[in-house]
Amino acid sequence: MILTKPQTALHDGVARCTRYAFGPNKLHLCGPDANAEVLAYIQAGATDPGLAHILQGFATLYPYLKEIAHANHIVDVFDDRVVQAYWLGNELLEAIPAQQFFRHLRDNLDLKRKYGAKEFDELVGKLPKGARMHHSFHVLNAYKRTGHDAKLHTLESMDSCRVSWGSVVAMEGPKITVRRKPLLQQNRKLVLGAAEDTTIMRRLEEDATLDDLAIGDLVSMHWGVICEIINPKHVQWLEHYTMQSINLSNETL
């Protein structure tokens, strides 16, 4: 296979999407059984059509990317703008009509059959209230997981599954301490709590994309894995759509 080095992680949609998909794939929660291959690509800092093919095997992720791209007349499903829209958020999400989102949930993801009519109607009832095709909406409002593990989400699994963000406050060997706001439940409602320190063990020792990580950097995280270094604008988008999804979730808790 012919590997191509991305210019940077932030300008290669396939590379960026792979970093967000790695955490749950490593835990066998979603995606094809190709974690060793995915890790090899990450360690090499490289992409090729084979990696894109692996990502197409994520039964929830890929249909979302296709719909975001289609609604915005973007041919490449892994265009970096599309990948950013789904995982972090951007203006592309605002161009998707609620009716298209409804058809996506009903037809592409088959949630009416999987969830039942009552739960499905409750979910799609949130679409006219501002729901967007952001990863956080699915995590926080589709309470039953849609990967390989169809159990109901717990507060802990929702906090791990949503893409969170924080600031690096300490680094010691493989240990990276990040100050982030956890997802909590207060008075039977979801909230983001006060920022607290959490330690992440960096297992990707050969991963060159985090070699420049420094104290004070902003990072995104998914299932206990640091995905990438992000900037304040990314944090604004991510916080905006996460809070929107939390507020919609609280309507039906």
Side-chain angles (χ1 to χ4, degrees):
M1 60 184 175
I2 300 175
L3 300 178
T4 59
K5 288 273 188 177
Q7 293 179 357
T8 71
L10 294 179
H11 295 289
D12 184 293
V14 173
R16 176 181 245 170
C17 195
T18 301
R19 294 199 59 82
Y20 285 92
F22 175 73
N25 187 246
K26 174 173 67 77
L27 298 172
H28 306 289
L29 294 173
C30 58
D33 186 15
N35 190 250
E37 284 184 77
V38 172
L39 178 58
Y41 278 111
I42 292 175
Q43 290 174 334
T47 61
D48 73 357
L51 180 55
H53 180 71
I54 291 173
L55 293 174
Q56 291 173 18
F58 284 74
T60 303
L61 162 65
Y62 188 62
Y64 266 103
L65 297 181
K66 286 177 64 177
E67 289 298 317
I68 295 169
H70 176 71
N72 287 277
H73 311 289
I74 297 173
V75 175
D76 180 8
V77 172
F78 293 107
D79 185 294
D80 189 56
R81 295 168 295 170
V82 175
V83 171
Q84 180 185 318
Y86 177 68
W87 291 112
L88 298 174
N90 61 31
E91 63 280 353
L92 297 189
L93 299 182
E94 302 303 320
I96 305 170
Q99 189 59 31
Q100 181 179 344
F101 199 173
F102 169 80
R103 289 194 298 268
H104 168 69
L105 296 172
R106 183 192 63 189
D107 301 335
N108 297 340
L109 301 185
D110 197 21
L111 293 191
K112 187 170 186 178
R113 180 186 65 81
K114 293 177 180 177
Y115 284 10
K118 181 179 178 181
E119 288 77 8
F120 179 76
D121 288 346
E122 185 178 90
L123 178 65
V124 298
K126 299 177 181 183
L127 304 188
K129 299 178 181 180
R132 296 291 183 264
M133 283 193 176
H134 190 257
H135 177 68
S136 66
F137 174 76
H138 197 95
V139 172
L140 299 173
N141 290 274
Y143 304 122
K144 184 183 290 186
R145 305 183 204 180
T146 51
H148 300 317
D149 186 353
K151 295 186 298 186
L152 292 175
H153 264 302
T154 63
L155 181 65
E156 182 181 31
S157 68
M158 284 193 291
D159 196 25
S160 295
C161 190
R162 73 180 178 98
V163 174
S164 60
W165 63 94
S167 176
V168 177
V169 295
M171 294 188 295
E172 182 181 355
K175 295 181 181 179
I176 301 173
T177 303
V178 178
R179 188 161 294 158
R180 66 183 282 273
K181 295 179 179 180
L183 185 70
L184 304 176
Q185 191 171 36
Q186 296 177 355
N187 299 320
R188 303 190 67 177
K189 299 292 183 182
L190 296 178
V191 298
L192 289 183
E196 60 183 29
D197 291 351
T198 183
T199 299
I200 295 174
M201 296 297 295
R202 182 183 178 189
R203 297 180 178 88
L204 306 180
E205 290 83 359
E206 300 176 32
D207 175 12
T209 63
L210 292 179
D211 280 352
D212 296 330
L213 189 66
I215 292 175
D217 280 343
L218 297 169
V219 294
S220 56
M221 293 160 286
H222 191 214
W223 282 106
V225 173
I226 293 179
C227 302
E228 61 174 336
I229 300 170
I230 57 177
N231 62 45
K233 184 61 177 178
H234 295 141
V235 172
Q236 289 177 11
W237 282 117
L238 184 52
E239 185 170 21
H240 168 75
Y241 286 112
T242 299
M243 291 308 303
Q244 183 184 75
S245 298
I246 286 175
N247 291 334
L248 288 170
S249 178
N250 285 335
E251 290 192 3
T252 52
L253 281 182

